[in-house]
Amino acid sequence: MSDFFMLEYGLGILQVILIISLSPLIVGIMRKTKAKSQKRIGSGIFQPYYDIIKLLRKDEIVSDQSSWIFRATPWINFVTTTSAAFFIPTFLVYSPFGVVGDILLVVGLFALGRFFTMLAGLDVASSFGGLGSSREMMISVLVEPALFMTIFVIALFYGGTNISTIVSSANDTSILIVPGILFALIAFFIIMMAETGKLPFDNPSTHLELTMIHESMILEYSGKSLALMEWSHAIKQMILFTLFVDIFFPWSFVEQISLVGISLGILVFIAKVSALASFTTFIETRVAKWRLFRVSDLIAMAISSSMIGVIFFFL
Amino acid sequence: MFDLPTQIDLLHVSAVILLIATFGIVVRRGFSDLLHAYRYQTIILAGVVALIAFVTGIWELYIVSALTLGIKAIIIPKVLFYVTKKLDSPIKLEMNPYVSLRISVIVSALLVTMSYFTALQLPISSDDTISVFLPVSFSLFFIGLFIIISRRKALSQIVGLLTIENGLFLFAVVVTHGFSLIIEIGLMADILVGVIISSILLFRMSQTFDSIDIKNLESLRDD
Amino acid sequence: MSENLFIIYVIFIFFSIGATLGLFTRGQKYNTYFTYIPSAFASFLTIVLSLTVFSSENIHLTFFNIQHLFDFEIFIDGVAAFFLLIIGLISFAISIYSLSYSKKFDDKKNNSALGMLFNVFIISMILVVISNNVFFFLIFWELMSLTSFFLVIYEHENKDNLKSGMTYLVMTHLGTGFIFASFILMYTQTGNFSFDSFRDISIIPQYVKDIAFVLAFVGFGTKAGMVPLHTWLPKAHPSAPSNVSALMSAVMLKIAIYGMVRYLFDFNAVDSSPDYVWLGMGIIVVGSISALVGILYALVENDIKRALAFSSIENVGIIFIGLGLSVVFAAFHLQSLSVLAFIASMFHTLNHSIFKGLLFMTAGSIHYSTHTKNIEDLGGLIKKMPWTAVMFLVGSIAIIGLPPLNGFISEWLTLQSLLAVFQIPSNILQVSLAFAILVFALTIGLSGATFVRLFGITFLSKSRSTKAANAVEVPKFMLIGKAILASSCILLGILPFLGMNLIVSAFNLPYMPSSPFETISIANTVDSNFASLMMPGVLVILTSVFVGIFVFVRIIGCKTKTVKYGTWDCGFGNLSEKTQYTATSLAEPLRRIFGVFYKPHNEINADFYTKENLYLKKSIHVISTTRDIFDEKLYGKTISGSLFVLNKIRKIQSGKVNVYILYIMITLIALLLFVGFGAHE
């Protein structure tokens, strides 16, 4: 049986490596889709990989105002997001590390990364960083209740906050039977857009102080640190996409372990996540960035959606 | 058999005379009039005590009565007369009391009625002297209290205080039939000293405020 | 048994030594050592005492009788021992911290009084926790309140401190009055002052216990700082010297929690009647409101210690949420969930003491070095005071509830208890508790924002004033004191089984954790795993990932240099500290969003060069305020209303002698008539 455990853990680590390595690809797909829908050619879908490798080989410039927090933040960010990836099932219906942590731990790890990123923004003694931290504070404060309400709805319907439990029970039910989950879907989609910094919350490709939130916090980074920050942002996005796909569109998970099954599972997974990424980009091109204080209305809509989901459960 | 009813009659008569004398205090305005009325009341009180002594046969009460006569009827009024003469306030009359004199009389009568009523309720009815004089002492007490309440000038209030003391004294004599002599003497000394001090204060008050209207004390209120 | 008694005596003796020595060696060079080393030793012994009680049986002693009414009884069971552990641990760290901190007050005349009051304060708290008799409980409670009052007004040169002290005194006596009323109610039912008689549940009717509990809840809640009786907390805690603030916030609030736990779970059998559902819901409501209000005010506060005091209100609210949930679950006979919520609440109590003590000590260090408490004057302290910065960082991460520190565990447990409400068989309660989840999530988010702001503005970026620029690191005793608590944070975070074991054995709960690597598992109705958490495993994952990425980066990236250069300044050059974000501006978006609560007020006065050109400004003066609606609306209206009524009553005092004697006469006549009529019957 220990062989089986070794295999399980190996597959678990494979899931993690899959998430980490595919995340820049998803970023590339999104950029390509956006370019195509704006009638541009855009960069290739493998461009983010080249960017990361290039940045890893460049020198770094560090502000003389900053402290060890500035230098430590990229590492902390990467470690926390990758550790969160351990608990997310991708092609298996569960994660072998599920007993170590649940979705609340994932949220906590993300919060830890965000905490240090906000501090790093303040560390460099420039207005850009403070600006980014201030707006990020506002959005995260508003997103937290929405996120927890959505988790509550999902935990109610699917019997737990352990992600493996959620995914396995989601695998067994159909979305048409539980209409309350639709509301959780809407809420989770909005939260996803907020957490990953997509329009209308934040423009990931701008560097104007009027519009940037996430970018301004990492404005000072260069070289290795920038590579790690960009990569961890991509991983976080990937994790959220994976969660969305696992919980709301969970069909075709492998039940038993076989080479064919696993390869098929991986391919289906990549296809699902890519489809979601394209869909998200499509939504992004339809809206402009909203005024900052209008964003809170959108998040309020997410909260009320999940509240309705809760009430649906009790009906 | 003929003696006892007469004793009771005597007691009743003396009680009535005492009450009338007290009313006499209530209706006076002028300072010297007040003091004279007080003196008469005290003399009658001394007589009442002597009568009680006669009826009950306790000889200490004679001494008490003599003391009352001496200190309360002679010395104290003298002290107060002295002070009154020294006062250089322009008006030595009780002008405009809070309760006008005619109504004071009615109120005093009411107080007497109430005292009789209350005394009847109390379960102390063993002795003749007690049953006759207990309500009288209550009345004296309350009338003295009423005088303090309804007058403006400090001198009137001192007289009221003395009336209260008379009432209490009568109460003590009647209920305990003359407790120890020493205590009586002590009480007298107490009263004497109290009066002396009050008169000194009265004098000072008139010097400071140019009147002995106690309205001036109101300015000491915490406002 | 006898050695336990011995320990109690030794503790008492050492605190007394500390108190008196401090008083007598006034002005000498080693004054602080004489005062605080005995107290540190005695605190350590308190920890030992509580651990021995955990392992052996309870201590129940009676010392002396005063006519069988007022026995000085001691009862140290698991509950008391748990709180003794909290007292001992925090006092130990703070005593060591005070060795250097009280040197700040060396130039004051009454320096020795601080040490004496400090020792008396701690010993009075210990005595409150171990008392088993109403009379002595109230005596020591009053002693605790009085010594803390004197400590609050210790720096009485500042008139604001006096005002806060008076507010504190009034409010704490209000609370004590309610507690007193509650105890008297129980006494009239049982006829005995000892707590043992209160524990006999059968002889007291239920409605009496309910009323007594509500009275006690108000009384203890005032002391714990629940809204709306909380206004003294943000005034009193910052006014005291920092080591005392730490003690008050970390420990004294918990003594109030101790009172509530005794009342809830010791004197009443909570699962015996459905009344408790409403009591529990009341506690949850109060807790949620306190949590939200506390953190909302902490967010916009610029004074570090006031912000920390508001954060204490928030955390007490979270503890109340856990307690209330435990009561509600117990009323529905959901035994295991009740245990879970209770463990969450008590764990948070322990955690909050540790990290709040740590944070207040750090605030004290900042004040020690820079002589200011206003974070708008600070900045860049991380370079000047590196170790203090690390301590504050640890404390901040713990209080927000981020993994892998201890705050995460207790908040995880509380969240799980909240998520488990779907097992309650009443729909209305489930939906209302869903709102509690909303509020709780909001407070977690807001506390994150608050501490990012506090840590970031204070320690990071450039110094905003010369005070901060000239700061130096604090003496090593202060650092040691903080390090003790910081390491406890980390330890309890990584090995939560320590905390769980403590709580479970203290309160005799039916839950059996055993090994250090035990997972905390919750099973749901389908008997699969609802949630589980294994912190050591998380740590393993974190470290292995770190190693992995480090190696990866080494392999892929070649040797790179790191160059230090100025911050990107858009080419303007000469970045000054004025171009940074200030504390107010950092919180400004949130202030606007929650404007309905803060009612912010911006006043902008601009000075122009000429009237014709309004674009060239000579200077701009901005005043930005938020209003404290509790102080204004609730207390202001109550005070003015009472003053109005009292002014009317004041007419009785007319100043006329006649009137006073008239009062006497009326009373006398009334009495006589009353007696007369009474005797006639």
Side-chain angles (χ1 to χ4, degrees), chain C residues 433-496:
Chain C
L433 285 169
F435 277 104
I437 298 183
L438 197 69
V439 168
F440 189 56
L442 196 57
T443 56
I444 296 181
L446 282 169
S447 64
T450 309
F451 280 94
V452 162
R453 180 171 176 261
L454 281 178
F455 182 75
I457 301 287
T458 317
F459 287 98
L460 301 178
S461 62
K462 266 188 162 152
S463 2
R464 292 180 175 79
S465 70
T466 46
K467 287 189 219 160
N470 297 333
V472 291
E473 185 59 272
V474 293
K476 60 177 183 311
F477 279 122
M478 291 164 80
L479 286 177
I480 294 179
K482 285 182 279 191
I484 296 176
L485 290 186
S487 36
S488 319
C489 280
I490 300 178
L491 194 66
L492 277 178
I494 299 179
L495 298 173

Side-chain angles (χ1 to χ4, degrees), chain B residues 19-29 34 37-38 94 97 99-109 143-144 146-147 150-151 159 163:
Chain B
L19 280 175
I20 293 177
T22 317
F23 274 102
I25 298 183
V26 174
V27 301
R28 303 299 170 95
R29 270 186 202 257
L34 268 177
Y38 171 70
E94 171 79 36
V99 182
S100 76
L101 291 187
R102 263 174 269 161
I103 303 187
S104 303
V105 178
I106 300 178
V107 171
S108 310
I143 291 179
F146 178 67
I147 293 177
S150 60
R151 300 300 153 101
V159 170
T163 315

Side-chain angles (χ1 to χ4, degrees), chain B residues 31 34 94 147 151-161:
Chain B
F31 286 169
L34 268 177
E94 171 79 36
I147 293 177
R151 300 300 153 101
R152 281 188 197 265
K153 297 285 192 302
L155 189 68
S156 324
Q157 297 188 327
I158 292 180
V159 170
L161 187 67

Side-chain angles (χ1 to χ4, degrees), chain B residues 14-129:
Chain B
S14 54
V16 169
I17 298 177
L18 188 56
L19 280 175
I20 293 177
T22 317
F23 274 102
I25 298 183
V26 174
V27 301
R28 303 299 170 95
R29 270 186 202 257
F31 286 169
S32 33
D33 290 339
L34 268 177
L35 290 172
H36 281 303
Y38 171 70
R39 189 199 294 181
Y40 292 146
Q41 188 206 37
T42 318
I43 293 176
I44 298 178
L45 185 64
V48 162
V49 175
L51 191 60
I52 297 178
F54 175 65
V55 164
T56 58
I58 301 177
W59 62 272
E60 280 125 348
L61 285 178
Y62 286 115
I63 304 182
V64 170
S65 150
L67 268 175
T68 311
L69 201 64
I71 295 183
K72 287 218 235 170
I74 299 178
I75 300 183
I76 287 181
K78 259 213 168 45
V79 170
L80 285 174
F81 269 121
Y82 179 71
V83 172
T84 322
K85 269 208 279 285
K86 278 289 198 139
L87 288 177
D88 45 30
S89 53
I91 304 177
K92 291 194 184 175
L93 283 180
E94 171 79 36
M95 302 302 285
N96 209 7
Y98 288 120
V99 182
S100 76
L101 291 187
R102 263 174 269 161
I103 303 187
S104 303
V105 178
I106 300 178
V107 171
S108 310
L110 276 173
L111 286 172
V112 170
T113 321
M114 190 213 68
S115 320
Y116 266 92
F117 180 67
T118 318
L120 279 177
Q121 311 282 341
L122 294 177
I124 313 171
S125 55
S126 51
D127 203 342
D128 294 334
T129 46

Side-chain angles (χ1 to χ4, degrees), chain A residues 211-262:
Chain A
T211 52
M212 58 178 175
I213 301 181
H214 179 77
E215 289 295 319
S216 64
M217 288 193 289
I218 63 175
L219 195 68
E220 287 292 318
Y221 281 116
S222 52
K224 276 210 270 283
S225 306
L226 186 59
L228 287 174
M229 288 298 277
E230 295 274 351
W231 199 354
S232 26
H233 191 65
I235 296 177
K236 182 164 151 187
Q237 182 175 274
M238 182 75 171
I239 290 179
L240 285 171
F241 282 170
T242 315
L243 269 177
F244 189 82
V245 156
D246 283 349
I247 297 176
F248 299 109
F249 302 101
W251 315 289
S252 78
F253 273 110
V254 265
E255 303 288 338
Q256 69 264 61
I257 303 174
S258 65
L259 202 57
V260 174
I262 292 180

